[in-house]
Amino acid sequence: SHLVELPTCEVHKLGEIAELVTSVRLSRIRKQKLALALKNEGYIPKLLQLFQACESVKNTEGLHLLFDIVRGILYLDKAILFEVMFSDECIQGVVGCLEYDPCLAQPGWHREFLTKIAKLQEVIPIRDPELKQKIRQTSRAQYIQAIITPNPSDFEEDFLSTLNSFISSSKEEILHGLQRDEEFLPKVFARLTNEATAHEQRCELMKFFKEFCAFSFMVPEKRDKFLKTLAKLGFLPTLKMLMGMDDLQVRSAATDILSYLLEFSPATVQEFVMKEARQSENDNQLIIELIKQITCSPDPGFGGDKQLMEILCAMIDPEKMLATFSNLEIFEFLDIFYDRYIHVLTAPLLAHTSEEWHEIGNENFNFFFPLKALIFLVDNYQAAEILASVLELLSFCVERHKYHMKIYVTKKDLLRRTLVLMKSKHKFLALCAVRFMRRIIGLKDELYNRYITLGNLFEPVVKALLDNRSGCNLLRSASMELFEFIQKEDIRFLIAHVVEKFSDALESVIYSHTFQGLKTKYKQEKDLKNEKLN
């Protein structure tokens, strides 16, 4: 019944006001009383007038106190205050106060950024003025949320729950309003694809459209209607075009939208991909665009290529395609994939492992590696990251496309080309090469086993093992695990090959009983054969 008594709103009282706002933080009832007092007395506009006065005379101490006060009021997490603080009259003053964080050496640029965002949002084609205002208000709330939210370890679980609910309900209201506007999506698509649309405006529109799609996909009762509308507008061809743009922000948003679509309606994407594969033989296809972005990434370590790889794997996974297509149709698609698409994926690997052979040897044995590849990989870390991504995808293909990939590997001698990378100074790339071979051996396929032994493809692995006795533990462990798998699974054909070819060289590997186990198995098999012959 008794509200909190507020100090008079004057500059010399700012310290007292800051102390009051901070003191109520642990009491739910006092927070409620303070929020009501601030609202009833119109206190926030008065504080913002003090902010203007302090800023005009460069009163740093006062500005720092106002930062603490405004942030403390936002931490009260009361909807009655959000309506005031996010209004057109107050928002510039609120974010202005938040620019003067005492922990920062220089003030922030929040007002300038919000003004720029508001100007860019004019590109969003919305006719309803109330809906436009709601979008502006929600955008402000999200921006302030990002500014004032501390590290996750510094606050309790339901921290700013009212602000989160406020943003969420506002987004839902916007979504329903936009879905009622039949002209909205066609206008968005027209502006996104229009070459005259300014770069920054396209980025802002793409960011907004991404949020709109994410929210639409998450409402089950609206999802089907939304997907039908997108299909009528040629959504996937437009998305493919946007993914091919030079701008990283536009590409990233388009990739996120494609990821949402694969999560909530994989059949839509798979049907589109199948249709493209059957009807067209040009390079302007969604799968080719994805592969090109993975293999031509300007910064593969940035993380975007992982998302692209997940999308590509989901598109070409026969198990996931079974929900949409028959076995015959999937086999037809894989025929097309290995006829038209796989060469785009393996191009960097084949290009960087040329057939200009150069002899390399040690005291145990000699073998050959491409000289050109060694020079290139030593000098280029970015290329190594791209090749690691390619090998990860090819390993996926080995497991999921057993028949088609086996033909491709043996025909292109792909494993030999991959094992060239064992000589890379980038150990993560050498590790990827070992894993690729391990994935092939893991299938325990007779054709693969004969291909490996006839090509003497254990040789690079054994040499790397000998060279890394005191080097990279991961590479050594991965190589040892490969031989342990052969022993454990009793792959006799490979056991015989390894023992007969590399027994002497591996005598010096004293840190593992694996090779002794291989020799024992080999001897047992040999003795058994002799008994049968006798």
Side-chain angles (χ1 to χ4, degrees):
S1 59
H2 300 287
L3 298 182
V4 173
E5 188 176 337
L6 298 171
T8 53
C9 202
E10 298 172 2
V11 172
H12 67 277
K13 294 276 187 177
L14 285 174
E16 193 179 329
I17 299 167
E19 195 175 322
L20 171 64
V21 172
T22 307
S23 69
V24 304
R25 207 168 151 191
L26 298 176
S27 168
R28 184 177 59 83
I29 295 170
R30 293 198 70 210
K31 280 166 72 174
Q32 182 69 23
K33 286 183 176 182
L34 177 59
L36 285 169
L38 291 168
K39 168 77 173 173
N40 293 344
E41 295 187 26
Y43 205 77
I44 292 170
K46 294 175 187 176
L47 283 170
L48 299 181
Q49 286 175 1
L50 286 185
F51 166 70
Q52 290 175 352
C54 287
E55 192 173 44
S56 63
V57 297
K58 297 183 179 177
N59 180 350
T60 306
E61 186 184 352
L63 291 168
H64 287 169
L65 286 168
L66 279 162
F67 169 86
D68 290 332
I69 292 165
V70 169
R71 186 178 64 171
I73 293 171
L74 288 163
Y75 281 172
L76 295 176
D77 198 30
K78 299 299 174 186
I80 56 170
L81 301 180
F82 293 151
E83 292 289 347
V84 176
M85 300 179 88
F86 301 153
S87 66
D88 288 344
E89 295 75 25
C90 294
I91 187 63
Q92 286 292 322
V94 169
V95 294
C97 290
L98 295 174
E99 288 178 0
Y100 291 93
D101 185 345
C103 298
L104 299 178
Q106 295 293 328
W109 298 85
H110 302 320
R111 283 171 288 182
E112 185 180 325
F113 185 80
L114 266 189
T115 304
K116 185 180 178 183
I117 291 295
K119 192 174 180 183
L120 289 173
Q121 283 179 344
E122 291 172 9
V123 76
I124 301 170
I126 298 169
R127 294 175 295 177
D128 184 348
E130 287 185 14
L131 198 56
K132 272 191 170 183
Q133 177 60 25
K134 178 60 72 174
I135 289 169
R136 277 197 294 271
Q137 191 183 54
T138 308
S139 175
R140 294 163 182 170
Q142 283 182 283
Y143 185 70
I144 285 176
Q145 181 191 41
I147 297 171
I148 66 170
T149 302
N151 294 323
S153 58
D154 296 340
F155 60 85
E156 58 274 15
E157 193 175 334
D158 61 345
F159 183 75
L160 293 179
S161 57
T162 307
L163 179 57
N164 294 333
S165 299
F166 176 83
I167 292 170
S168 184
S169 61
S170 297
K171 283 183 176 181
E172 202 165 332
E173 196 178 321
I174 292 165
L175 172 66
H176 294 318
L178 292 176
Q179 286 180 334
R180 287 193 296 270
D181 185 353
E182 293 182 359
E183 293 182 20
F184 170 68
L185 279 175
K187 284 181 178 177
V188 167
F189 276 55
R191 292 192 185 183
L192 282 173
T193 54
N194 189 346
E195 291 182 6
T197 304
H199 158 72
E200 287 186 328
Q201 286 186 325
R202 182 180 280 109
C203 287
E204 187 61 32
L205 185 56
M206 197 65 193
K207 199 165 27 171
F208 180 82
F209 182 55
K210 182 183 106 172
E211 279 202 60
F212 176 68
C213 287
F215 233 74
S216 299
F217 287 137
M218 289 174 72
V219 183
E221 60 271 17
K222 300 279 185 182
R223 193 182 301 151
D224 288 342
K225 185 182 175 184
F226 180 62
L227 286 167
K228 284 176 185 174
T229 307
L230 290 178
K232 283 180 189 173
L233 294 167
F235 171 60
L236 279 165
T238 304
L239 202 60
K240 179 177 67 176
M241 186 207 78
L242 292 166
M243 287 182 73
M245 286 191 167
D246 292 334
D247 186 87
L248 181 60
Q249 284 181 295
V250 172
R251 282 208 320 266
S252 177
T255 304
D256 286 339
I257 294 168
L258 183 58
S259 184
Y260 300 151
L261 193 59
L262 265 169
E263 182 181 350
F264 293 107
S265 181
T268 304
V269 181
Q270 286 164 350
E271 284 168 3
F272 176 77
V273 168
M274 180 71 85
K275 187 178 176 183
E276 275 198 325
R278 285 171 172 165
Q279 291 182 352
S280 174
E281 292 192 21
N282 60 41
D283 289 342
N284 184 28
Q285 294 185 19
L286 184 56
I287 283 187
I288 291 179
E289 185 58 49
L290 282 169
I291 294 171
K292 281 182 177 176
Q293 286 198 29
I294 293 166
T295 56
C296 305
S297 173
D299 188 6
F302 187 68
D305 61 322
K306 291 292 179 191
Q307 187 184 22
L308 291 167
M309 286 162 67
E310 286 172 9
I311 291 170
L312 182 60
C313 288
M315 283 183 181
I316 63 174
D317 188 344
E319 288 181 15
K320 292 182 178 176
M321 293 173 78
L322 272 172
T324 312
F325 304 110
S326 68
N327 283 316
L328 189 61
E329 287 173 313
I330 294 170
F331 199 85
E332 177 199 352
F333 171 77
L334 291 177
D335 278 344
I336 296 169
F337 182 82
Y338 282 86
D339 181 44
R340 291 192 218 147
Y341 303 145
I342 191 74
H343 70 275
V344 184
L345 179 60
T346 56
L349 178 61
L350 299 178
H352 298 151
T353 54
S354 76
E355 295 182 9
E356 296 174 20
W357 300 100
H358 175 71
E359 187 174 354
I360 298 174
N362 65 13
E363 65 275 11
N364 294 313
F365 47 77
N366 292 318
F367 59 102
F368 295 86
F369 270 107
L371 179 61
K372 181 179 174 183
L374 293 177
I375 293 169
F376 184 86
L377 287 168
V378 165
D379 293 339
N380 200 319
Y381 182 82
Q382 188 186 80
E385 285 192 307
I386 289 171
L387 288 172
S389 298
V390 169
L391 285 178
E392 193 175 327
L393 286 167
L394 291 175
S395 297
F396 173 87
C397 292
V398 165
E399 277 197 344
R400 301 304 172 94
H401 307 160
K402 292 183 177 69
Y403 171 76
H404 289 83
M405 191 60 177
K406 182 163 55 177
I407 292 170
Y408 187 80
V409 168
T410 52
K411 184 180 177 182
K412 293 289 184 181
D413 201 9
L414 199 65
L415 182 55
R416 183 187 301 278
R417 304 291 281 265
T418 300
L419 291 172
V420 166
L421 307 177
M422 295 289 295
K423 291 298 292 180
S424 170
K425 74 169 184 178
H426 307 293
K427 295 306 177 188
F428 70 88
L429 184 56
L431 191 61
C432 287
V434 174
R435 285 174 179 163
F436 180 65
M437 186 175 189
R438 169 67 177 81
R439 202 71 67 95
I440 287 173
I441 289 172
L443 296 178
K444 297 189 281 187
D445 183 279
E446 189 178 337
L447 181 64
Y448 270 138
N449 291 345
R450 291 191 178 280
Y451 162 66
I452 289 168
T453 54
L454 286 171
N456 198 22
L457 299 181
F458 278 110
E459 201 163 41
V461 181
V462 171
K463 183 182 186 302
L465 193 60
L466 294 171
D467 291 345
N468 277 281
R469 275 174 285 194
S470 58
C472 176
N473 286 327
L474 274 176
L475 184 58
R476 188 171 69 231
S477 298
S479 303
M480 290 303 304
E481 194 278 331
L482 186 148
F483 290 109
E484 283 167 8
F485 176 81
I486 293 168
Q487 181 195 349
K488 183 183 173 185
E489 296 297 319
D490 197 19
I491 307 175
R492 296 172 187 180
F493 191 74
L494 296 183
I495 290 172
H497 174 76
V498 170
V499 173
E500 288 169 6
K501 273 278 183 183
F502 307 108
S503 182
D504 294 339
L506 293 170
E507 285 293 334
S508 59
V509 182
I510 58 172
Y511 49 74
S512 173
H513 298 294
T514 302
F515 295 111
Q516 293 304 320
L518 287 172
K519 288 169 84 172
T520 303
K521 286 212 175 221
Y522 173 71
K523 188 174 182 304
Q524 287 170 352
E525 180 66 17
K526 204 168 181 182
D527 291 344
L528 191 62
K529 282 182 180 177
N530 288 335
E531 280 181 29
K532 285 181 181 178
L533 283 171
N534 291 334

